[in-house]
Amino acid sequence: MHARVAEPGGLRETAARYALLPLRVFLGVTFVYAGLDKLTDPDFPGSMEPLLLSITDAAAPWLLDMALASPEGFGYAIAFGELAVGLGTLLGLLGRLAALGGALISLSFWLTISWSVGPYYYSQDLPYLMAWVPLIMAGTPTYSLDAALARRRRRNGGQLFG
């Protein structure tokens, strides 16, 4: 029995090319929403300190200590970080870097806010962390500014502008 090779432009190749697009859209929209939700909350950033003080069991208490040194600054850093990650992911601009930023935000939330959630699979932050991994590995090769810039570079003999 011979292995069947996908024809160029065939269903398998098309599915592989677009496989990460739904994940990218979901994570991008979710992180843009999370950032905007914080920034438009009338209690923000004042709500950060009580939230941080309410965390009693964290795997990385030093992260909490760092955040508590400037709760408002930390809140703005998280909100703008989520916004940048979400927009970078949706636009496909510096896609791997945006995904790495999303993974780091999710990891910090998992190690602090949701660490005490048990069993571990009830945590909302761990699945987000794992969802970023394929985008770190693959980047944003489809419908993205990264892909458009790469095409332009190839047309211009390796130079972006020329």
Side-chain angles (χ1 to χ4, degrees):
M1 188 171 238
H2 297 286
R4 190 170 179 182
V5 178
E7 298 174 26
L11 181 59
R12 226 182 267 174
E13 186 178 307
T14 301
R17 186 177 318 118
Y18 298 107
L20 293 178
L21 205 50
L23 181 63
R24 189 174 128 204
V25 170
F26 170 74
L27 289 171
V29 167
T30 300
F31 269 60
V32 166
Y33 180 81
L36 290 176
D37 189 46
K38 286 175 184 64
L39 293 171
T40 59
D41 181 349
D43 294 329
F44 183 82
S47 58
M48 289 304 300
E49 189 168 14
L51 170 67
L52 294 168
L53 290 171
S54 72
I55 301 168
T56 58
D57 185 25
W62 58 272
L63 279 174
L64 288 174
D65 294 340
M66 188 171 63
L68 281 166
S70 176
E72 279 111 14
F74 175 75
Y76 280 117
I78 289 295
F80 285 116
E82 287 171 333
L83 200 52
V85 163
L87 289 173
T89 302
L90 283 174
L91 297 173
L93 182 60
L94 302 173
R96 283 191 169 102
L97 183 61
L100 178 62
L104 291 174
I105 290 170
S106 297
L107 177 64
S108 68
F109 287 170
W110 182 53
L111 293 176
T112 55
I113 295 168
S114 63
W115 182 256
S116 62
V117 174
Y120 78 92
Y121 51 83
Y122 283 171
S123 165
Q124 62 185 357
D125 298 308
L126 186 56
Y128 279 100
L129 172 59
M130 293 297 107
W132 286 110
V133 172
L135 294 177
I136 293 170
M137 294 168 61
T140 53
T142 307
Y143 293 123
S144 67
L145 291 175
D146 287 344
L149 292 171
R151 280 191 306 275
R152 184 181 179 112
R153 238 186 325 260
R154 281 192 300 275
R155 273 196 319 265
N156 293 334
Q159 294 182 7
L160 187 57
F161 302 103

